Amino acid sequence: MRAPVVPASLDRPGLRSADGATLAAAFVVVLMLVPARLVFRGVPFSLTPADAVGLFAALWWFCAHLTTTLGAAKGPNPVRTALFAYAVAMLVTYGYAGAGYLPPDELNMADHGIVLVVATVGIGLGACDGIRGRERLDFVLKCLVVCGAAVGVIAALQFVLEFDLTKYLALPGFRFTAELPAILERNTLRRVAGTTGHPIELGVVCAMITPVALHYAFGARDRGEPSLRWWICSALIGAGLMFSVSRSAVLGIAVVGAVLLAGWPARRRLWAALGGAGFLVVMKVAVPGLLSVFLGLFTSLSSDSSIQYRTHDYAVAVTEIGNHPWVGRGLGTWYAPKHLIFDNQYILSLVETGIIGLVTFSGIFLTGLWAALRVRRLSADPAVRDLGLALAACLVVPLVGAATFDLRSFATVTGLSFLVIGAAGALLRGTRQPGKAVEKPVEKPGEEVSRPAARAGPPRNPRPDHAR
């Protein structure tokens, strides 16, 4: 019998079929490079291309768990459990809101909210169970760093030249939402959003990506590999953070520094301190007055109108929470301009999803953080331990940032957060089960262990590695 002819395009070394990591990388590219204000035309609610990829990831994950041939990981995983608990809590609050009376506009927003929950949970589950192996996880995270650097370039063009490249990234079949423009102003300086929905979101996103970029930069240097490209990416991401002119960005990078410095060796701390100081000097020379504006954001807290606006609506929040303390009034039903904006995701979660929703929302971040730190304890590989520390630093940023703005109202930072949570789960699984060695048969006294006869060729129906 003649062997089947393999096309030359499939016989090339290094060529592999698409998997969960491929889907996660596609999500990263769409999430970071397609403007967050660009949504599908003709859809009754705002749906971004990244949301569509997330919905496909949810469908892929569901189908993958019905078979053993699509490469999804099986077995218990704390990150998957936390994501499942969060999804169930959102379904409960959605059902509670729909069972009572809601104005048509709020009911439409609740429908929109549950669709977005499926998309974000889908990408988290897809990353957790679909990224198999350290090599594939590195592929996704390196893609994230490169895309973050590209966003930094777009933000630099907006800040320095007041040129908004996102206006020219419109795709056929899409439209821009009537949200805030990408270029705003604060204290005579521009503050820009890059491809995200708001400068605050840009700053938080850059703060989240920074520890991953530094992980690959320091890792390449320690292995004696070319590292300049990763340092350039780190600098561009840092520039995007600075050009956001955001207080939340400073808080985010501060907690990132605290986590990284606590886990890094002394030599790396010194290099990081010197590099950070040099970066600030370059920023001061290149953009006079920028550092002074950042300093003023914290020295004038008592007279800052944005701080006063964030705290004036607490009485309204207390009343709303008291009306529906456990499951809230419905996800997405508290929206502007109909209602006051709560620039605090924890308060907004209490209002919309109640205590159950707040606990599960916080729980997914805490579980992802625990998984990343657990990797540091289980692994003896310095590179894996450092990656666990980097992912932990990423997840601390949204935990802190959720107290300074309504995080779930912004698509880019929400999608990125769920992706990183899933990545932490994938890293934990790979660390716990790096690979099972083939056990040799044990011969008992007086018994002969049967061994299969040698074959002239490979088995007729070999199972792929991911199905073992």
Side-chain angles (χ1 to χ4, degrees), residues 275-313:
F279 176 78
L280 292 178
V281 170
V282 172
M283 284 288 107
K284 183 175 179 61
V285 173
V287 188
L290 180 59
L291 297 184
S292 300
V293 171
F294 272 101
L295 182 62
L297 294 178
F298 293 91
T299 57
S300 59
L301 292 177
S302 58
S303 58
D304 194 322
S305 59
S306 64
I307 296 294
Q308 297 172 1
Y309 182 81
R310 279 177 165 84
T311 57
H312 84 286
D313 48 14

Side-chain angles (χ1 to χ4, degrees), residues 6-23:
V6 179
S9 60
L10 298 179
D11 196 33
R12 297 173 185 171
L15 189 66
R16 60 186 302 162
S17 59
D19 57 1
T22 308
L23 182 59

Side-chain angles (χ1 to χ4, degrees), residues 106-363:
E106 294 187 6
L107 186 58
N108 290 336
M109 294 300 293
D111 294 340
H112 183 207
I114 200 64
V115 170
L116 297 184
V117 165
V118 174
T120 52
V121 171
I123 196 61
L125 291 173
C128 180
D129 292 341
I131 302 177
R132 306 296 301 276
R134 170 72 190 285
E135 178 186 356
R136 300 302 287 162
L137 180 59
D138 282 336
F139 167 70
V140 175
L141 295 179
K142 287 178 179 179
C143 181
L144 175 62
V145 172
V146 173
C147 290
V151 173
V153 172
I154 294 174
L157 292 175
Q158 293 171 342
F159 185 88
V160 177
L161 303 178
E162 201 173 357
F163 173 70
D164 185 11
L165 183 62
T166 62
K167 293 181 179 179
Y168 303 93
L169 297 179
L171 302 174
F174 293 84
R175 62 179 177 83
F176 282 100
T177 59
E179 296 180 0
L180 292 174
I183 303 176
L184 302 176
E185 187 173 318
R186 167 175 267 174
N187 296 342
T188 70
L189 278 180
R190 301 186 190 100
R191 54 185 316 214
V192 300
T195 58
T196 68
H198 193 275
I200 294 177
E201 185 182 20
L202 172 65
V204 174
V205 166
C206 290
M208 288 184 67
I209 303 175
T210 296
V212 181
L214 293 177
H215 162 75
Y216 290 113
F218 278 116
R221 192 203 63 174
D222 293 343
R223 293 188 300 270
E225 300 174 356
S227 61
L228 179 61
R229 54 185 173 179
W230 300 116
W231 290 117
I232 293 175
C233 288
S234 301
L236 291 173
I237 294 168
L241 185 149
M242 298 295 291
F243 296 152
S244 70
V245 194
S246 168
R247 189 183 292 109
S248 298
V250 177
L251 293 175
I253 202 65
V255 296
V256 164
V259 173
L260 294 181
L261 293 179
W264 277 349
R267 182 178 180 85
R268 185 176 291 190
R269 294 176 192 172
L270 177 60
W271 280 110
L274 294 176
F279 176 78
L280 292 178
V281 170
V282 172
M283 284 288 107
K284 183 175 179 61
V285 173
V287 188
L290 180 59
L291 297 184
S292 300
V293 171
F294 272 101
L295 182 62
L297 294 178
F298 293 91
T299 57
S300 59
L301 292 177
S302 58
S303 58
D304 194 322
S305 59
S306 64
I307 296 294
Q308 297 172 1
Y309 182 81
R310 279 177 165 84
T311 57
H312 84 286
D313 48 14
Y314 286 176
V316 177
V318 170
T319 302
E320 289 295 327
I321 294 170
N323 294 334
H324 314 277
W326 289 104
V327 293
R329 71 195 310 274
L331 181 67
T333 58
W334 191 271
Y335 67 97
K338 182 176 181 178
H339 302 290
L340 293 172
I341 297 177
F342 298 129
D343 281 318
N344 185 313
Q345 184 57 53
Y346 296 119
I347 294 178
L348 182 59
S349 294
L350 276 173
V351 171
E352 291 188 337
T353 61
I355 296 174
I356 295 176
L358 175 63
V359 170
T360 54
F361 174 77
S362 304

Side-chain angles (χ1 to χ4, degrees), residues 78-105:
V79 170
R80 186 204 296 138
T81 302
L83 289 170
F84 178 77
Y86 172 74
V88 170
M90 296 302 101
L91 287 173
V92 169
T93 188
Y94 175 71
Y96 175 80
Y101 172 76
L102 279 177
D105 58 333

